[in-house]
């Protein structure tokens, strides 16, 4: 029997409190505004955003001259610029922390075609 060497990772994360009214209302509003199929698509974007923000937070704790902060920070900013989430003048890790779910959803092809 062959071994499966694939690495799996979660693509979405369910909320900790399933019946929090403010979160439910905001998710429903986002689903309606951007024409998403279900709330799992919102949760997927939230997971991607939280991973990027957490990596930016850990990089901000390092010294500015640290090699890891220089290389990984530049890679993160390059990736976000390539995705169209950051402008050329906002090339700083502080701007990564200010990203919102709406910034990601504005870049979807369905949203661009709808507008």
């Amino acid at each position: 029997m062959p071994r499966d060497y694939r690495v799996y990772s979660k693509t979405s994360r369910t909320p900790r409190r399933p019946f929090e009214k403010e979160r439910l209302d905001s998710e429903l509003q986002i689903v309606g505004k951007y024409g998403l199929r279900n709330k799992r698509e919102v949760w997927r974007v939230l997971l991607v955003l939280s991973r990027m923000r957490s990596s930016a937070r850990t990089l901000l704790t390092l010294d500015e001259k640290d090699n890891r902060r220089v290389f990984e920070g530049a890679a993160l900013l390059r990736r976000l610029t390539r995705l169209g989430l950051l402008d050329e003048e906002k090339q700083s890790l502080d701007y990564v922390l200010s990203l919102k779910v709406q910034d990601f959803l504005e870049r979807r092809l369905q949203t661009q075609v709808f507008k």
Side-chain angles (χ1 to χ4, degrees):
M1 191 163 153
R3 291 192 178 187
D4 189 12
Y5 290 106
R6 293 183 205 146
V7 178
Y8 296 105
S9 63
K10 293 229 178 214
T11 57
S12 66
R13 182 174 57 208
T14 58
R16 285 184 182 172
R17 296 180 179 160
F19 300 109
E20 193 174 21
K21 181 155 178 51
E22 296 84 26
R23 184 192 49 78
L24 287 172
D25 293 340
S26 66
E27 285 175 355
L28 190 63
Q29 185 178 13
I30 289 172
V31 167
K33 181 178 179 183
Y34 294 103
L36 303 177
R37 186 177 55 196
N38 50 28
K39 290 187 180 180
R40 191 179 309 129
E41 292 185 351
V42 177
W43 298 340
R44 182 176 63 214
V45 172
L46 280 171
L47 182 64
V48 170
L49 179 64
S50 69
R51 286 182 178 164
M52 287 184 181
R53 293 184 69 213
S54 68
S55 66
R57 271 196 308 271
T58 56
L59 290 175
L60 280 171
T61 59
L62 300 173
D63 186 37
E64 288 189 20
K65 304 294 184 200
D66 190 17
N67 286 338
R68 181 173 169 218
R69 178 173 174 169
V70 170
F71 290 120
E72 290 184 16
L76 179 65
L77 293 173
R78 196 177 326 114
R79 187 180 327 132
L80 290 174
T81 305
R82 192 176 65 229
L83 290 174
L85 297 170
L86 288 180
D87 297 335
E88 291 295 328
E89 61 268 2
K90 293 184 177 181
Q91 293 293 314
S92 172
L93 289 175
D94 295 326
Y95 289 109
V96 176
L97 298 178
S98 66
L99 288 175
K100 303 270 186 277
V101 177
Q102 288 80 7
D103 299 332
F104 275 85
L105 294 176
E106 288 290 331
R107 298 297 304 156
R108 293 176 72 233
L109 179 63
Q110 291 88 337
T111 307
Q112 298 291 323
V113 170
F114 184 68
K115 288 186 175 184

